[in-house]
mmCIF file of all heavy atoms in Angstrom:
data_model
loop_
_atom_site.group_PDB
_atom_site.id
_atom_site.type_symbol
_atom_site.label_atom_id
_atom_site.label_comp_id
_atom_site.label_asym_id
_atom_site.label_seq_id
_atom_site.Cartn_x
_atom_site.Cartn_y
_atom_site.Cartn_z
ATOM 1 N N VAL A 198 132.166 136.042 121.924
ATOM 2 C CA VAL A 198 133.079 135.312 122.841
ATOM 3 C C VAL A 198 134.179 134.877 122.028
ATOM 4 O O VAL A 198 134.006 134.470 120.822
ATOM 5 C CB VAL A 198 132.370 134.104 123.397
ATOM 6 C CG1 VAL A 198 133.266 133.493 124.506
ATOM 7 C CG2 VAL A 198 131.059 134.511 124.035
ATOM 8 N N PHE A 199 135.400 134.846 122.507
ATOM 9 C CA PHE A 199 136.501 134.149 121.898
ATOM 10 C C PHE A 199 137.189 133.199 122.895
ATOM 11 O O PHE A 199 137.183 133.401 124.105
ATOM 12 C CB PHE A 199 137.597 135.205 121.303
ATOM 13 C CG PHE A 199 138.336 135.907 122.328
ATOM 14 C CD1 PHE A 199 139.452 135.400 122.851
ATOM 15 C CD2 PHE A 199 137.944 137.175 122.756
ATOM 16 C CE1 PHE A 199 140.143 136.102 123.938
ATOM 17 C CE2 PHE A 199 138.527 137.860 123.754
ATOM 18 C CZ PHE A 199 139.756 137.308 124.264
ATOM 19 N N MET A 200 137.769 132.188 122.340
ATOM 20 C CA MET A 200 138.532 131.267 123.144
ATOM 21 C C MET A 200 139.559 130.565 122.250
ATOM 22 O O MET A 200 139.232 130.159 121.167
ATOM 23 C CB MET A 200 137.679 130.184 123.808
ATOM 24 C CG MET A 200 138.434 129.163 124.549
ATOM 25 S SD MET A 200 137.319 127.901 125.260
ATOM 26 C CE MET A 200 136.645 127.110 123.835
ATOM 27 N N THR A 201 140.760 130.500 122.725
ATOM 28 C CA THR A 201 141.868 129.790 122.092
ATOM 29 C C THR A 201 142.356 128.673 123.014
ATOM 30 O O THR A 201 142.666 128.884 124.173
ATOM 31 C CB THR A 201 143.011 130.695 121.712
ATOM 32 O OG1 THR A 201 142.580 131.724 120.864
ATOM 33 C CG2 THR A 201 144.157 129.983 120.985
ATOM 34 N N TYR A 202 142.446 127.469 122.461
ATOM 35 C CA TYR A 202 143.008 126.328 123.138
ATOM 36 C C TYR A 202 144.547 126.405 123.069
ATOM 37 O O TYR A 202 145.102 126.586 122.004
ATOM 38 C CB TYR A 202 142.625 124.967 122.496
ATOM 39 C CG TYR A 202 141.123 124.691 122.530
ATOM 40 C CD1 TYR A 202 140.353 124.816 121.428
ATOM 41 C CD2 TYR A 202 140.495 124.402 123.728
ATOM 42 C CE1 TYR A 202 138.929 124.537 121.438
ATOM 43 C CE2 TYR A 202 139.059 124.122 123.818
ATOM 44 C CZ TYR A 202 138.375 124.193 122.633
ATOM 45 O OH TYR A 202 137.042 123.983 122.679
ATOM 46 N N LEU A 203 145.176 126.381 124.186
ATOM 47 C CA LEU A 203 146.641 126.626 124.330
ATOM 48 C C LEU A 203 147.406 125.325 124.318
ATOM 49 O O LEU A 203 148.655 125.305 124.296
ATOM 50 C CB LEU A 203 146.995 127.366 125.493
ATOM 51 C CG LEU A 203 146.332 128.926 125.495
ATOM 52 C CD1 LEU A 203 146.765 129.641 126.764
ATOM 53 C CD2 LEU A 203 146.662 129.679 124.293
ATOM 54 N N ASN A 204 146.668 124.209 124.324
ATOM 55 C CA ASN A 204 147.360 122.864 124.253
ATOM 56 C C ASN A 204 146.313 121.899 123.606
ATOM 57 O O ASN A 204 145.184 122.151 123.535
ATOM 58 C CB ASN A 204 147.883 122.353 125.559
ATOM 59 C CG ASN A 204 146.800 122.201 126.649
ATOM 60 O OD1 ASN A 204 145.794 122.811 126.654
ATOM 61 N ND2 ASN A 204 147.025 121.188 127.542
ATOM 62 N N THR A 205 146.891 120.795 123.115
ATOM 63 C CA THR A 205 146.016 119.751 122.494
ATOM 64 C C THR A 205 145.775 118.649 123.390
ATOM 65 O O THR A 205 146.732 118.127 124.068
ATOM 66 C CB THR A 205 146.693 119.218 121.256
ATOM 67 O OG1 THR A 205 146.877 120.273 120.286
ATOM 68 C CG2 THR A 205 145.880 118.201 120.502
ATOM 69 N N LEU A 206 144.481 118.317 123.519
ATOM 70 C CA LEU A 206 144.040 117.242 124.469
ATOM 71 C C LEU A 206 142.923 116.444 123.870
ATOM 72 O O LEU A 206 141.978 117.100 123.290
ATOM 73 C CB LEU A 206 143.583 117.675 125.799
ATOM 74 C CG LEU A 206 144.596 118.323 126.848
ATOM 75 C CD1 LEU A 206 143.870 118.824 128.038
ATOM 76 C CD2 LEU A 206 145.633 117.194 127.257
ATOM 77 N N ASP A 207 142.859 115.145 124.023
ATOM 78 C CA ASP A 207 141.662 114.424 123.733
ATOM 79 C C ASP A 207 140.611 114.594 124.799
ATOM 80 O O ASP A 207 141.027 114.875 125.939
ATOM 81 C CB ASP A 207 141.984 112.917 123.622
ATOM 82 C CG ASP A 207 142.762 112.515 122.333
ATOM 83 O OD1 ASP A 207 142.611 113.312 121.368
ATOM 84 O OD2 ASP A 207 143.553 111.565 122.368
ATOM 85 N N LYS A 208 139.396 114.502 124.516
ATOM 86 C CA LYS A 208 138.303 114.633 125.548
ATOM 87 C C LYS A 208 138.492 115.915 126.361
ATOM 88 O O LYS A 208 138.507 115.909 127.570
ATOM 89 C CB LYS A 208 138.366 113.459 126.420
ATOM 90 C CG LYS A 208 138.084 112.040 125.728
ATOM 91 C CD LYS A 208 138.147 110.929 126.643
ATOM 92 C CE LYS A 208 138.228 109.628 125.930
ATOM 93 N NZ LYS A 208 138.710 108.567 126.676
ATOM 94 N N ALA A 209 138.577 117.029 125.740
ATOM 95 C CA ALA A 209 138.739 118.293 126.443
ATOM 96 C C ALA A 209 138.290 119.516 125.722
ATOM 97 O O ALA A 209 138.577 120.688 126.043
ATOM 98 C CB ALA A 209 140.263 118.457 126.829
ATOM 99 N N GLY A 210 137.441 119.310 124.725
ATOM 100 C CA GLY A 210 136.945 120.438 123.984
ATOM 101 C C GLY A 210 135.806 121.164 124.676
ATOM 102 O O GLY A 210 135.672 121.298 125.859
ATOM 103 N N THR A 211 134.875 121.717 123.838
ATOM 104 C CA THR A 211 133.743 122.484 124.356
ATOM 105 C C THR A 211 132.518 121.948 123.707
ATOM 106 O O THR A 211 132.428 121.827 122.447
ATOM 107 C CB THR A 211 133.901 123.958 124.034
ATOM 108 O OG1 THR A 211 135.121 124.423 124.549
ATOM 109 C CG2 THR A 211 132.785 124.801 124.624
ATOM 110 N N GLU A 212 131.431 121.623 124.466
ATOM 111 C CA GLU A 212 130.125 121.173 124.007
ATOM 112 C C GLU A 212 129.211 122.319 123.789
ATOM 113 O O GLU A 212 129.097 123.208 124.737
ATOM 114 C CB GLU A 212 129.577 120.248 124.896
ATOM 115 C CG GLU A 212 130.131 118.938 125.162
ATOM 116 C CD GLU A 212 129.324 118.090 126.106
ATOM 117 O OE1 GLU A 212 128.287 117.328 125.739
ATOM 118 O OE2 GLU A 212 129.629 118.187 127.341
ATOM 119 N N PHE A 213 128.608 122.503 122.607
ATOM 120 C CA PHE A 213 127.542 123.487 122.460
ATOM 121 C C PHE A 213 126.263 122.758 122.331
ATOM 122 O O PHE A 213 126.023 121.902 121.480
ATOM 123 C CB PHE A 213 127.904 124.241 121.064
ATOM 124 C CG PHE A 213 129.014 125.138 121.258
ATOM 125 C CD1 PHE A 213 130.381 124.741 121.006
ATOM 126 C CD2 PHE A 213 128.800 126.536 121.577
ATOM 127 C CE1 PHE A 213 131.389 125.638 121.148
ATOM 128 C CE2 PHE A 213 129.924 127.330 121.736
ATOM 129 C CZ PHE A 213 131.205 126.977 121.520
ATOM 130 N N TYR A 214 125.352 123.143 123.249
ATOM 131 C CA TYR A 214 124.071 122.391 123.404
ATOM 132 C C TYR A 214 123.197 122.488 122.219
ATOM 133 O O TYR A 214 122.757 121.485 121.652
ATOM 134 C CB TYR A 214 123.326 123.090 124.583
ATOM 135 C CG TYR A 214 122.060 122.398 125.021
ATOM 136 C CD1 TYR A 214 122.054 121.212 125.758
ATOM 137 C CD2 TYR A 214 120.914 122.895 124.560
ATOM 138 C CE1 TYR A 214 120.868 120.547 126.102
ATOM 139 C CE2 TYR A 214 119.684 122.222 124.809
ATOM 140 C CZ TYR A 214 119.719 121.040 125.604
ATOM 141 O OH TYR A 214 118.562 120.437 125.942
ATOM 142 N N HIS A 215 122.874 123.715 121.697
ATOM 143 C CA HIS A 215 121.881 123.799 120.646
ATOM 144 C C HIS A 215 122.417 123.471 119.282
ATOM 145 O O HIS A 215 121.668 123.015 118.309
ATOM 146 C CB HIS A 215 121.264 125.202 120.545
ATOM 147 C CG HIS A 215 120.491 125.591 121.771
ATOM 148 N ND1 HIS A 215 119.235 125.113 121.986
ATOM 149 C CD2 HIS A 215 120.718 126.450 122.799
ATOM 150 C CE1 HIS A 215 118.715 125.604 123.118
ATOM 151 N NE2 HIS A 215 119.604 126.375 123.601
ATOM 152 N N GLN A 216 123.753 123.535 119.114
ATOM 153 C CA GLN A 216 124.362 123.133 117.886
ATOM 154 C C GLN A 216 124.630 121.586 117.832
ATOM 155 O O GLN A 216 125.101 121.162 116.757
ATOM 156 C CB GLN A 216 125.665 123.950 117.714
ATOM 157 C CG GLN A 216 125.432 125.403 117.382
ATOM 158 C CD GLN A 216 124.966 126.226 118.609
ATOM 159 O OE1 GLN A 216 125.130 125.797 119.764
ATOM 160 N NE2 GLN A 216 124.329 127.385 118.343
ATOM 161 N N ASP A 217 124.535 120.971 118.915
ATOM 162 C CA ASP A 217 124.854 119.494 119.028
ATOM 163 C C ASP A 217 126.211 119.299 118.447
ATOM 164 O O ASP A 217 126.441 118.452 117.570
ATOM 165 C CB ASP A 217 123.812 118.700 118.272
ATOM 166 C CG ASP A 217 123.825 117.177 118.591
ATOM 167 O OD1 ASP A 217 124.346 116.893 119.705
ATOM 168 O OD2 ASP A 217 123.476 116.423 117.684
ATOM 169 N N LEU A 218 127.125 120.056 119.070
ATOM 170 C CA LEU A 218 128.487 120.062 118.495
ATOM 171 C C LEU A 218 129.501 120.082 119.651
ATOM 172 O O LEU A 218 129.296 120.813 120.713
ATOM 173 C CB LEU A 218 128.680 121.387 117.660
ATOM 174 C CG LEU A 218 130.132 121.815 117.276
ATOM 175 C CD1 LEU A 218 130.602 120.855 116.196
ATOM 176 C CD2 LEU A 218 130.116 123.186 116.742
ATOM 177 N N THR A 219 130.592 119.407 119.551
ATOM 178 C CA THR A 219 131.700 119.424 120.478
ATOM 179 C C THR A 219 132.916 119.796 119.646
ATOM 180 O O THR A 219 133.268 119.128 118.697
ATOM 181 C CB THR A 219 131.971 118.024 121.130
ATOM 182 O OG1 THR A 219 130.743 117.686 121.858
ATOM 183 C CG2 THR A 219 133.202 118.127 122.092
ATOM 184 N N THR A 220 133.511 120.988 119.980
ATOM 185 C CA THR A 220 134.688 121.344 119.382
ATOM 186 C C THR A 220 135.962 120.704 119.946
ATOM 187 O O THR A 220 135.985 120.353 121.090
ATOM 188 C CB THR A 220 134.948 122.901 119.513
ATOM 189 O OG1 THR A 220 135.077 123.263 120.896
ATOM 190 C CG2 THR A 220 133.716 123.687 118.882
ATOM 191 N N PRO A 221 136.939 120.416 119.146
ATOM 192 C CA PRO A 221 138.125 119.730 119.592
ATOM 193 C C PRO A 221 139.107 120.714 120.234
ATOM 194 O O PRO A 221 139.120 121.880 119.958
ATOM 195 C CB PRO A 221 138.809 119.212 118.248
ATOM 196 C CG PRO A 221 138.386 120.108 117.209
ATOM 197 C CD PRO A 221 136.935 120.684 117.603
ATOM 198 N N CYS A 222 139.732 120.169 121.232
ATOM 199 C CA CYS A 222 140.818 120.935 121.920
ATOM 200 C C CYS A 222 142.132 120.690 121.256
ATOM 201 O O CYS A 222 142.887 119.825 121.490
ATOM 202 C CB CYS A 222 140.871 120.422 123.434
ATOM 203 S SG CYS A 222 142.067 121.349 124.443
ATOM 204 N N ILE A 223 142.431 121.618 120.270
ATOM 205 C CA ILE A 223 143.576 121.629 119.438
ATOM 206 C C ILE A 223 144.383 122.794 119.658
ATOM 207 O O ILE A 223 143.790 123.932 119.452
ATOM 208 C CB ILE A 223 143.244 121.379 117.981
ATOM 209 C CG1 ILE A 223 142.433 120.068 117.755
ATOM 210 C CG2 ILE A 223 144.524 121.355 117.134
ATOM 211 C CD1 ILE A 223 141.937 119.862 116.313
ATOM 212 N N LYS A 224 145.637 122.776 119.951
ATOM 213 C CA LYS A 224 146.508 123.909 120.238
ATOM 214 C C LYS A 224 146.388 124.938 119.038
ATOM 215 O O LYS A 224 146.552 124.550 117.932
ATOM 216 C CB LYS A 224 147.922 123.564 120.497
ATOM 217 C CG LYS A 224 148.863 124.693 120.770
ATOM 218 C CD LYS A 224 150.288 124.338 120.709
ATOM 219 C CE LYS A 224 150.796 123.715 121.896
ATOM 220 N NZ LYS A 224 152.292 123.626 121.915
ATOM 221 N N GLY A 225 146.070 126.191 119.402
ATOM 222 C CA GLY A 225 145.958 127.237 118.404
ATOM 223 C C GLY A 225 144.571 127.430 117.825
ATOM 224 O O GLY A 225 144.307 128.543 117.282
ATOM 225 N N LEU A 226 143.593 126.423 118.026
ATOM 226 C CA LEU A 226 142.261 126.665 117.492
ATOM 227 C C LEU A 226 141.587 127.772 118.259
ATOM 228 O O LEU A 226 141.440 127.687 119.461
ATOM 229 C CB LEU A 226 141.440 125.351 117.579
ATOM 230 C CG LEU A 226 140.078 125.467 117.116
ATOM 231 C CD1 LEU A 226 139.894 125.973 115.689
ATOM 232 C CD2 LEU A 226 139.304 124.102 117.290
ATOM 233 N N THR A 227 141.256 128.860 117.603
ATOM 234 C CA THR A 227 140.568 130.028 118.150
ATOM 235 C C THR A 227 139.175 130.062 117.641
ATOM 236 O O THR A 227 138.887 130.063 116.417
ATOM 237 C CB THR A 227 141.384 131.297 117.691
ATOM 238 O OG1 THR A 227 142.712 131.130 118.132
ATOM 239 C CG2 THR A 227 140.744 132.543 118.256
ATOM 240 N N LEU A 228 138.230 130.025 118.606
ATOM 241 C CA LEU A 228 136.804 130.008 118.327
ATOM 242 C C LEU A 228 136.250 131.352 118.634
ATOM 243 O O LEU A 228 136.702 132.026 119.592
ATOM 244 C CB LEU A 228 136.074 128.997 119.249
ATOM 245 C CG LEU A 228 136.602 127.579 119.256
ATOM 246 C CD1 LEU A 228 135.819 126.704 120.232
ATOM 247 C CD2 LEU A 228 136.458 126.956 117.771
ATOM 248 N N ILE A 229 135.322 131.763 117.843
ATOM 249 C CA ILE A 229 134.504 132.955 117.997
ATOM 250 C C ILE A 229 133.053 132.618 117.867
ATOM 251 O O ILE A 229 132.729 131.877 116.888
ATOM 252 C CB ILE A 229 134.884 134.116 117.096
ATOM 253 C CG1 ILE A 229 136.343 134.525 117.341
ATOM 254 C CG2 ILE A 229 133.999 135.390 117.196
ATOM 255 C CD1 ILE A 229 136.905 135.546 116.382
ATOM 256 N N TRP A 230 132.155 133.049 118.797
ATOM 257 C CA TRP A 230 130.763 132.740 118.703
ATOM 258 C C TRP A 230 129.936 133.799 119.314
ATOM 259 O O TRP A 230 130.481 134.483 120.154
ATOM 260 C CB TRP A 230 130.518 131.353 119.149
ATOM 261 C CG TRP A 230 130.543 131.116 120.671
ATOM 262 C CD1 TRP A 230 129.585 131.345 121.589
ATOM 263 C CD2 TRP A 230 131.776 130.690 121.460
ATOM 264 N NE1 TRP A 230 130.074 131.047 122.889
ATOM 265 C CE2 TRP A 230 131.353 130.634 122.784
ATOM 266 C CE3 TRP A 230 133.033 130.327 121.038
ATOM 267 C CZ2 TRP A 230 132.245 130.257 123.792
ATOM 268 C CZ3 TRP A 230 133.919 129.947 122.065
ATOM 269 C CH2 TRP A 230 133.526 129.934 123.392
ATOM 270 N N PRO A 231 128.628 133.824 119.054
ATOM 271 C CA PRO A 231 127.793 134.877 119.793
ATOM 272 C C PRO A 231 127.580 134.499 121.237
ATOM 273 O O PRO A 231 127.737 133.407 121.685
ATOM 274 C CB PRO A 231 126.441 134.632 119.009
ATOM 275 C CG PRO A 231 126.757 134.088 117.749
ATOM 276 C CD PRO A 231 127.930 133.205 118.038
ATOM 277 N N SER A 232 127.413 135.546 122.074
ATOM 278 C CA SER A 232 127.406 135.429 123.476
ATOM 279 C C SER A 232 126.073 134.961 124.109
ATOM 280 O O SER A 232 126.044 134.670 125.245
ATOM 281 C CB SER A 232 127.882 136.708 124.141
ATOM 282 O OG SER A 232 126.976 137.725 123.869
ATOM 283 N N ALA A 233 125.051 134.973 123.254
ATOM 284 C CA ALA A 233 123.651 134.749 123.823
ATOM 285 C C ALA A 233 123.361 133.289 124.114
ATOM 286 O O ALA A 233 124.077 132.372 123.855
ATOM 287 C CB ALA A 233 122.669 135.307 122.769
#
């Protein structure tokens, strides 16, 4: 999967359940991760 945030916002990232991680919503940040 890929996703790029197109604007910067507080409290607007993505939560990953098993990784116990919330990615920040920062303009230009492009994430890639497994689809499973």
Side-chain angles (χ1 to χ4, degrees):
V198 186
F199 69 86
M200 177 179 65
T201 301
Y202 298 108
L203 301 180
N204 60 329
T205 299
L206 289 175
D207 289 331
K208 300 178 192 160
T211 304
E212 291 181 88
F213 287 87
Y214 183 83
H215 294 288
Q216 289 73 20
D217 194 26
L218 170 71
T219 300
T220 60
C222 180
I223 301 172
K224 184 192 275 190
L226 177 56
T227 300
L228 305 176
I229 299 176
W230 70 88
S232 65

